[in-house]
Amino acid sequence: MKTLREFAEDVLNQVTTGTGYLGEIVEKAENNGKITVCISIRKSGSMVGPMIKLEGYYEEYKESQNETLYGISREIETIANKAWEQETEIVELGNEIKKGFPAVKDRIHMRLVNAEENQNRLKNIPWIPYLDLAITFHLNFDGDGDEQKSIEVNHQLIDTWNVTPEDLYQTALANMEREDDGTFYRLSDFVESVLHTTPESSGLDMYIMTNKKCAYGATEILRSGELKRRAEEFKSDLVVLPSS
């Protein structure tokens, strides 16, 4: 049985041979210290392209006698081709990155992660501490419907743009205020609307603060004065449990 690395190398070889794309195997540091093996695929001359996670495909390969390496490679090839159907958007983003920070600043957004659980990942990217959390930065570009795609900002990018983590933070805050898509629900109402079920009462007043896409909504607590306004509204201290 092939190891995950051997599987990734074989899939990469088949995909690039079949498409003519360039590719490499990337061990991507995810949230809370998880390392994910991916294939990064791009066209010659392009700075950006799809990155496809392989763990799920590897598990299918191990568990199914009928799941061939060829079939998996063709499926990944289809995903790459579909991504490149949006080539104009991808090329445009690459060109914006090359132009410099003013061209991409409206795309800068934040995420909140556990600082202790992400120590290795944080060594390779710009970040700002917030309590026991870390604020990281991303270039967002939206896909179809509610699909959200992003590129994590690394040290190479901020060196190219000649900006600091504080510059990124202030820019992301301004973008958050401009977009103004924050939402605030009673937790029971949110669960009922999303899961179509009525949760049992816990006896506590619990609320959820997120954004309209419910994606990385923990950053809503970074809005200027937001937690203070909510505390004054409820005339109470708050216990905050970031979970996105």
Side-chain angles (χ1 to χ4, degrees):
M1 178 66 68
K2 296 178 185 294
T3 65
L4 176 55
R5 183 74 187 192
E6 291 169 339
F7 172 80
E9 290 171 350
D10 285 349
V11 169
L12 177 63
N13 181 60
Q14 290 200 23
V15 171
T16 53
T17 300
T19 61
Y21 296 149
L22 304 177
E24 62 179 331
I25 297 169
V26 177
E27 293 187 355
K28 188 175 185 295
E30 300 273 21
N31 196 22
N32 295 336
K34 176 178 171 58
I35 302 297
T36 301
V37 176
C38 307
I39 289 179
S40 174
I41 300 173
R42 61 186 177 82
K43 288 186 174 181
S44 179
S46 174
M47 293 181 64
V48 294
M51 185 176 292
I52 302 167
K53 297 179 181 180
L54 292 182
E55 271 89 345
Y57 293 106
Y58 182 58
E59 291 303 317
E60 289 179 20
Y61 172 72
K62 288 195 302 182
E63 294 174 5
S64 175
Q65 299 296 323
N66 298 322
E67 194 71 52
T68 67
L69 189 64
Y70 176 83
I72 291 173
S73 299
R74 295 293 75 77
E75 184 175 342
I76 293 175
E77 182 179 318
T78 298
I79 294 172
N81 287 333
K82 183 178 180 181
W84 281 109
E85 288 175 2
Q86 303 172 6
E87 181 173 5
T88 300
E89 180 184 13
I90 294 174
V91 171
E92 180 180 306
L93 178 61
N95 289 336
E96 287 180 8
I97 292 173
K98 291 177 182 178
K99 288 178 182 177
F101 190 66
V104 298
K105 64 183 182 65
D106 289 347
R107 297 184 183 271
I108 300 292
H109 291 76
M110 298 177 286
R111 295 181 188 176
L112 273 175
V113 302
N114 185 305
E116 183 177 352
E117 295 292 333
N118 288 276
Q119 293 181 48
N120 289 332
R121 175 185 168 202
L122 294 175
K123 293 176 183 177
N124 301 311
I125 58 175
W127 62 284
I128 286 180
Y130 179 78
L131 303 177
D132 60 343
L133 304 172
I135 303 170
T136 64
F137 303 98
H138 302 258
L139 284 171
N140 282 4
F141 59 109
D142 293 338
D144 298 331
D146 289 335
E147 183 183 9
Q148 189 174 71
K149 303 175 183 178
S150 67
I151 296 174
E152 188 167 64
V153 176
N154 57 27
H155 290 307
Q156 181 181 355
L157 284 177
I158 65 169
D159 289 344
T160 299
W161 295 333
N162 193 28
V163 297
T164 66
E166 181 64 25
D167 294 329
L168 294 176
Y169 177 60
Q170 294 301 327
T171 300
L173 276 179
N175 289 341
M176 180 184 288
E177 295 296 335
R178 186 189 73 249
E179 293 169 3
D180 192 26
D181 69 343
T183 58
F184 189 79
Y185 304 92
R186 186 181 294 272
L187 182 59
S188 57
D189 293 341
F190 180 80
V191 171
E192 188 169 356
S193 66
V194 173
L195 301 180
H196 308 293
T197 183
T198 302
E200 295 183 9
S201 174
S202 65
L204 298 174
D205 290 329
M206 300 185 71
Y207 297 83
I208 182 168
M209 183 185 296
T210 184
N211 50 47
K212 291 178 180 177
K213 286 192 172 184
C214 297
Y216 308 105
T219 54
E220 291 297 318
I221 67 175
L222 300 174
R223 284 186 186 273
S224 178
E226 183 66 21
L227 293 180
K228 182 180 179 181
R229 285 195 294 271
R230 296 298 177 183
E232 291 174 348
E233 176 185 342
F234 294 118
K235 296 181 174 58
S236 172
D237 291 338
L238 304 176
V239 176
V240 182
L241 304 172
S243 62
S244 175

